[in-house]
Amino acid sequence: MKSFTYERPGTPAEAAAAVAAKPNAKFIAGGTNLLDLMKLQIETPTHLVDVNGLGLDRVEPTPPACARIGALVRNTDLAADPRVRTDYGVLSRALLAGASGQLRNKATTAGNLLQRTRCPYFYDTAQACNKRQPGSGCSALDGVSRQLAVIGASETCIATHPGDMAVAMRVLDATVETVDAKGTERRIPVAEFHRLPGDTPNVDTTLKTGELITAVTLPKPVAGMHIYRKVRDRASYAYALVSVAAILGKDGTGRVAFGGVAPRPWRVEAAEVDLPKGAKAVTDMVFAEANPTRDNAYKLKLAERALTAAINQARA
């Protein structure tokens, strides 16, 4: 790990200003992703700004009947929050499907949204990776791509977003709140938060330099059964091959978003009108522009089967 300087600011705006003022500075909270990347020298920040003391660690009700989640709320606490369990069950279930208990005790809401891909070529510094080193190429294109994206990727990157929480946030239509170095606040719909790779796969989100996430706001609760199904290679501590976040009525109507298939949580609202027709009608539309590799074409059928299981669960 390379040396770095460190500070603890007193307010969110001061934290944003501190990162904006120094080249290659980073925020740090739980550190469950950043510290690993620093040890591998994938991330080499010269300055760390510790945001743990900013008081952004509460889940608060906001009228009318909404919830505001502080950026520093730990995953364990968010999953166990009575209001989240009652009104936003898909979020609680998605959080509990991720990582391990020890990691959930440290990982934060904002950090979860910002975690970087777990593509093996991104983590292997001997391999070419446009996300890690722009312009170097993408070894995954001709490599082992079983776990990688089937839709939303580009000729420069086929990595997936690894998170579970963001998939649930997407089906709930959450909003990300931020503050910048000038103290200006911004609200970003979670649908617009994660970027597709295009020609700049090294840029994961729509955040500006120094912009700090302060909270995530959830809208009014959505009626229906809240379901999160995660298909993975082992029962715990594994990233999704395919995941499904769904809010479904007994008649099959509702909402659905997919994880493990794209560079960001993948939801196509227009396809949701076909939910009563069954999973195949929905996934045919959701993945109409899919471009899978030989290794990961199985994800298309797996997504259909995972959604079928969710629909059957709701009907039962």
Side-chain angles (χ1 to χ4, degrees), residues 196-315:
L196 295 180
D199 295 328
T200 54
N202 56 303
V203 183
D204 293 335
T205 72
T206 56
L207 291 177
K208 303 171 185 176
T209 301
E211 195 169 10
L212 174 69
I213 297 175
T214 54
V216 176
T217 302
L218 301 178
K220 291 182 180 180
V222 181
M225 177 171 282
H226 288 222
I227 298 167
Y228 189 76
R229 300 189 71 89
K230 181 176 181 179
V231 184
R232 45 189 163 176
D233 284 327
R234 57 181 183 267
S236 66
Y237 200 55
Y239 298 98
L241 299 172
V242 169
S243 64
V244 175
I247 304 175
L248 300 169
K250 289 186 178 181
D251 59 356
T253 60
R255 305 177 178 186
V256 61
F258 294 89
V261 296
R264 66 186 184 194
W266 201 255
R267 182 182 175 197
V268 178
E269 285 93 329
E272 293 169 357
V273 298
D274 287 333
L275 275 166
K277 298 178 183 178
K280 188 176 188 306
V282 176
T283 55
D284 281 352
M285 183 179 292
V286 168
F287 297 104
E289 298 182 7
N291 185 29
T293 67
R294 178 185 61 186
D295 291 344
N296 65 18
Y298 74 93
K299 287 193 175 190
L300 302 178
K301 179 58 70 174
L302 191 60
E304 179 189 333
R305 290 174 176 170
L307 179 55
T308 298
I311 292 171
N312 290 340
Q313 181 179 345
R315 287 175 177 169

Side-chain angles (χ1 to χ4, degrees), residues 90-291:
V90 65
L91 177 57
S92 181
R93 293 182 173 97
L95 285 163
L96 292 173
S100 65
Q102 294 93 330
L103 286 171
R104 292 194 296 270
N105 288 342
K106 292 293 292 181
T108 63
T109 299
N112 200 312
L113 286 173
L114 294 170
Q115 64 181 305
R116 307 210 68 188
T117 184
R118 264 52 175 201
C119 173
Y121 297 97
F122 173 75
Y123 271 80
D124 184 351
T125 56
Q127 302 288 338
C129 174
N130 289 316
K131 186 177 283 291
R132 174 172 26 84
Q133 186 178 354
S136 63
C138 177
S139 295
L141 291 173
D142 296 317
V144 178
S145 53
R146 176 176 175 270
Q147 295 178 308
L148 303 180
V150 296
I151 195 167
S154 71
E155 294 181 355
T156 63
C157 181
I158 59 171
T160 56
H161 175 75
D164 296 292
M165 186 192 78
V167 186
M169 294 285 194
R170 180 68 183 89
V171 87
L172 289 167
D173 283 330
T175 300
V176 181
E177 298 181 3
T178 69
V179 65
D180 66 12
K182 296 180 180 179
T184 304
E185 298 178 350
R186 186 160 72 118
R187 294 171 59 84
I188 309 168
V190 75
E192 301 171 8
F193 183 77
H194 295 100
R195 295 179 68 258
L196 295 180
D199 295 328
T200 54
N202 56 303
V203 183
D204 293 335
T205 72
T206 56
L207 291 177
K208 303 171 185 176
T209 301
E211 195 169 10
L212 174 69
I213 297 175
T214 54
V216 176
T217 302
L218 301 178
K220 291 182 180 180
V222 181
M225 177 171 282
H226 288 222
I227 298 167
Y228 189 76
R229 300 189 71 89
K230 181 176 181 179
V231 184
R232 45 189 163 176
D233 284 327
R234 57 181 183 267
S236 66
Y237 200 55
Y239 298 98
L241 299 172
V242 169
S243 64
V244 175
I247 304 175
L248 300 169
K250 289 186 178 181
D251 59 356
T253 60
R255 305 177 178 186
V256 61
F258 294 89
V261 296
R264 66 186 184 194
W266 201 255
R267 182 182 175 197
V268 178
E269 285 93 329
E272 293 169 357
V273 298
D274 287 333
L275 275 166
K277 298 178 183 178
K280 188 176 188 306
V282 176
T283 55
D284 281 352
M285 183 179 292
V286 168
F287 297 104
E289 298 182 7
N291 185 29

